[in-house]
Coordinates of all heavy atoms in Angstrom, one line a residue:
Q1 N -100.8 86.2 52.2 CA -100.8 87.7 52.5 C -100.3 88.4 51.2 O -100.8 89.4 50.8 CB -99.9 88.0 53.7 CG -100.0 89.5 54.0 CD -101.4 89.9 54.4 OE1 -102.1 89.3 55.3 NE2 -101.9 91.0 53.8
A2 N -99.2 87.9 50.6 CA -98.7 88.5 49.4 C -99.7 88.5 48.2 O -99.8 89.4 47.4 CB -97.4 87.8 48.9
A3 N -100.6 87.5 48.2 CA -101.6 87.4 47.1 C -102.8 88.2 47.4 O -103.5 88.6 46.5 CB -102.0 85.9 46.9
L4 N -103.0 88.6 48.6 CA -104.3 89.3 49.0 C -104.4 90.7 48.3 O -105.4 91.1 47.9 CB -104.4 89.5 50.5 CG -104.8 88.2 51.2 CD1 -104.8 88.4 52.7 CD2 -106.2 87.7 50.7
T5 N -103.3 91.4 48.2 CA -103.3 92.8 47.6 C -103.7 92.7 46.1 O -104.7 93.3 45.7 CB -102.0 93.5 47.8 OG1 -101.8 93.7 49.2 CG2 -102.1 94.9 47.2
P6 N -103.0 91.9 45.3 CA -103.4 91.9 43.9 C -104.7 91.2 43.6 O -105.4 91.4 42.6 CB -102.3 91.1 43.2 CG -101.5 90.4 44.2 CD -101.8 91.2 45.5
L7 N -105.2 90.4 44.6 CA -106.5 89.7 44.4 C -107.6 90.3 45.2 O -108.7 89.7 45.4 CB -106.3 88.2 44.8 CG -105.3 87.4 44.0 CD1 -105.1 86.0 44.5 CD2 -105.6 87.4 42.5
A8 N -107.4 91.5 45.7 CA -108.4 92.1 46.6 C -109.8 92.2 46.1 O -110.8 92.0 46.8 CB -107.9 93.5 47.0
D9 N -110.0 92.3 44.8 CA -111.3 92.4 44.2 C -111.7 91.1 43.5 O -112.7 91.1 42.7 CB -111.3 93.6 43.1 CG -111.1 94.9 43.8 OD1 -111.6 95.1 44.9 OD2 -110.5 95.8 43.2
M10 N -111.1 90.0 43.9 CA -111.5 88.7 43.3 C -112.9 88.4 43.8 O -113.2 88.5 45.0 CB -110.5 87.7 43.7 CG -110.9 86.3 43.3 SD -109.6 85.0 43.6 CE -109.5 85.1 45.4
R11 N -113.7 87.9 42.9 CA -115.0 87.4 43.2 C -114.9 85.9 43.5 O -114.4 85.2 42.7 CB -116.0 87.7 42.2 CG -116.3 89.2 42.0 CD -117.5 89.5 41.1 NE -117.7 88.6 40.0 CZ -117.2 88.8 38.7 NH1 -116.5 89.9 38.5 NH2 -117.4 88.0 37.8
V12 N -115.5 85.4 44.6 CA -115.5 84.0 44.9 C -116.9 83.5 45.0 O -117.7 84.1 45.8 CB -114.7 83.8 46.3 CG1 -114.8 82.3 46.6 CG2 -113.3 84.3 46.2
E13 N -117.2 82.4 44.3 CA -118.5 81.8 44.4 C -118.3 80.4 44.8 O -117.7 79.5 44.1 CB -119.2 81.8 43.0 CG -120.5 81.0 43.0 CD -121.1 80.8 41.6 OE1 -120.5 81.3 40.6 OE2 -122.1 80.1 41.5
V14 N -118.7 80.1 46.1 CA -118.5 78.7 46.6 C -119.7 77.9 46.0 O -120.8 78.2 46.2 CB -118.6 78.7 48.1 CG1 -118.5 77.3 48.7 CG2 -117.4 79.6 48.7
R15 N -119.3 76.8 45.3 CA -120.3 75.9 44.7 C -120.6 74.8 45.6 O -121.8 74.3 45.6 CB -119.7 75.4 43.3 CG -119.5 76.5 42.3 CD -120.8 76.8 41.6 NE -120.7 77.8 40.6 CZ -120.6 77.5 39.3 NH1 -120.7 76.3 38.8 NH2 -120.5 78.5 38.4
H16 N -119.6 74.3 46.3 CA -119.9 73.1 47.2 C -119.0 73.3 48.4 O -117.8 73.7 48.3 CB -119.5 71.8 46.6 CG -120.2 71.5 45.3 ND1 -119.7 71.8 44.1 CD2 -121.5 70.9 45.1 CE1 -120.6 71.4 43.2 NE2 -121.7 70.9 43.8
L17 N -119.5 73.1 49.6 CA -118.8 73.0 50.8 C -119.3 71.8 51.6 O -120.4 71.7 52.1 CB -119.0 74.3 51.7 CG -118.1 74.4 52.9 CD1 -116.6 74.4 52.6 CD2 -118.5 75.6 53.7
L18 N -118.4 70.7 51.5 CA -118.8 69.4 52.1 C -117.9 69.0 53.2 O -116.7 69.3 53.2 CB -118.7 68.4 50.9 CG -119.4 68.7 49.6 CD1 -119.0 67.8 48.5 CD2 -120.9 68.7 49.8
A19 N -118.4 68.3 54.2 CA -117.6 67.9 55.3 C -117.9 66.5 55.6 O -119.1 66.0 55.6 CB -117.8 68.8 56.5
E20 N -116.9 65.7 55.9 CA -117.0 64.3 56.5 C -115.9 64.1 57.4 O -114.7 64.2 57.0 CB -117.1 63.3 55.3 CG -117.3 61.9 55.8 CD -117.5 60.9 54.8 OE1 -118.0 61.2 53.7 OE2 -117.1 59.7 55.0
G21 N -116.2 63.7 58.6 CA -115.2 63.5 59.6 C -114.3 64.7 59.8 O -114.8 65.8 60.0
D22 N -113.0 64.5 59.7 CA -112.1 65.6 59.9 C -111.7 66.4 58.7 O -110.8 67.2 58.7 CB -110.9 65.1 60.7 CG -110.1 64.1 59.9 OD1 -110.5 63.7 58.8 OD2 -109.0 63.8 60.4
H23 N -112.4 66.1 57.5 CA -112.1 66.8 56.3 C -113.2 67.7 55.8 O -114.4 67.3 55.9 CB -111.7 65.8 55.2 CG -110.4 65.1 55.3 ND1 -110.2 64.1 56.2 CD2 -109.2 65.4 54.8 CE1 -108.9 63.8 56.2 NE2 -108.3 64.6 55.3
V24 N -112.9 68.8 55.2 CA -113.8 69.7 54.6 C -113.3 70.0 53.2 O -112.1 70.2 53.0 CB -113.9 71.1 55.4 CG1 -114.9 72.0 54.7 CG2 -114.4 70.8 56.8
V25 N -114.2 69.9 52.2 CA -113.9 70.1 50.8 C -114.7 71.3 50.3 O -115.9 71.4 50.5 CB -114.2 68.9 50.0 CG1 -113.9 69.1 48.5 CG2 -113.4 67.7 50.5
M26 N -114.0 72.2 49.7 CA -114.7 73.4 49.0 C -114.3 73.4 47.6 O -113.1 73.4 47.2 CB -114.2 74.7 49.7 CG -115.0 75.9 49.1 SD -114.5 77.5 49.8 CE -112.9 77.7 49.2
H27 N -115.4 73.5 46.7 CA -115.2 73.7 45.3 C -115.7 75.1 45.0 O -116.9 75.5 45.4 CB -116.1 72.7 44.6 CG -116.3 73.0 43.1 ND1 -117.6 73.0 42.6 CD2 -115.5 73.2 42.1 CE1 -117.5 73.3 41.3 NE2 -116.3 73.4 41.0
S28 N -114.9 76.0 44.4 CA -115.3 77.3 44.1 C -114.9 77.8 42.7 O -114.0 77.2 42.1 CB -114.7 78.3 45.1 OG -113.3 78.3 45.1
R29 N -115.6 78.8 42.2 CA -115.2 79.5 41.0 C -114.8 80.9 41.4 O -115.5 81.5 42.2 CB -116.3 79.5 40.0 CG -116.6 78.2 39.3 CD -117.7 78.2 38.3 NE -117.2 78.8 37.1 CZ -117.0 78.1 36.0 NH1 -117.2 76.8 36.0 NH2 -116.6 78.7 34.8
R30 N -113.7 81.3 40.8 CA -113.2 82.6 41.2 C -112.8 83.4 40.0 O -112.2 83.0 39.1 CB -111.9 82.5 42.1 CG -112.2 81.6 43.3 CD -111.0 81.3 44.1 NE -111.3 80.3 45.2 CZ -110.4 80.0 46.1 NH1 -109.3 80.5 46.2 NH2 -110.8 79.0 47.0
Q31 N -113.3 84.7 40.0 CA -113.0 85.6 38.9 C -111.9 86.5 39.4 O -112.2 87.3 40.3 CB -114.3 86.4 38.5 CG -114.0 87.4 37.3 CD -113.6 86.7 36.0 OE1 -114.2 85.8 35.6 NE2 -112.5 87.1 35.4
L32 N -110.8 86.5 38.8 CA -109.7 87.3 39.2 C -110.0 88.8 38.8 O -110.7 89.0 37.9 CB -108.4 86.8 38.6 CG -108.0 85.4 39.1 CD1 -106.7 85.0 38.5 CD2 -107.9 85.3 40.6
P33 N -109.4 89.7 39.5 CA -109.7 91.2 39.3 C -109.4 91.6 37.9 O -108.5 91.0 37.2 CB -108.8 91.9 40.3 CG -108.4 90.9 41.3 CD -108.5 89.6 40.6
G34 N -110.0 92.7 37.5 CA -109.8 93.3 36.2 C -110.1 92.3 35.1 O -111.1 91.6 35.0

């Protein structure tokens, strides 16, 4: 919650979202604001 305000305009590009059994793995590139 504390990070959401300064990161409100962050761009998130999910490159991979993989799941096997009870695990989910996400690989993303994020451009921080400004």
Side-chain angles (χ1 to χ4, degrees):
Q1 186 63 52
L4 285 174
T5 300
L7 299 178
D9 294 327
M10 176 174 62
R11 292 189 328 265
V12 178
E13 177 189 354
V14 175
R15 296 281 181 100
H16 302 95
L17 186 61
L18 310 168
E20 183 172 329
D22 62 354
H23 285 81
V24 177
V25 177
M26 182 180 72
H27 163 236
S28 62
R29 288 183 78 104
R30 303 174 189 188
Q31 180 64 51
L32 299 181

